[in-house]
Amino acid sequence: MKPDEIKKLDAYFKRVINPQAIVKARPRKNDSAEVYLGDEFLGVVYVDDEDGDRSYNFSMAILEVDL
């Protein structure tokens, strides 16, 4: 992902999820970014360019021990 995309996603997550949300680039990956709440890893945002329409998919795993 380009730095300007990450900034836009960061602003979106701060507005919609929590002001402490942080979107960071992933090392050696250019199709996704990591989402954190403070220091806690929340999930991954993937770019979807299917059919020429760019969109983003957020994937978050919830472990049973966290429930």
Side-chain angles (χ1 to χ4, degrees):
M1 261 188 231
K2 297 176 183 175
D4 61 323
E5 282 181 298
I6 291 174
K7 286 180 185 178
K8 289 177 185 178
L9 287 166
D10 187 66
Y12 176 81
F13 276 92
K14 284 180 181 345
R15 186 176 73 250
V16 173
I17 303 293
N18 189 301
Q20 295 179 351
I22 301 166
V23 180
K24 297 180 181 179
R26 293 179 74 191
R28 299 180 304 274
K29 301 281 184 180
N30 60 2
D31 66 342
S32 56
E34 297 176 344
V35 180
Y36 292 84
L37 185 57
D39 292 336
E40 177 125 6
F41 176 77
L42 288 183
V44 179
V45 179
Y46 296 94
V47 173
D48 183 359
D49 278 329
E50 192 173 318
D51 300 329
D53 292 328
R54 194 165 185 89
S55 63
Y56 303 90
N57 297 312
F58 177 59
S59 178
M60 178 178 164
I62 301 171
L63 302 176
E64 184 176 4
V65 300
D66 291 334
L67 297 178

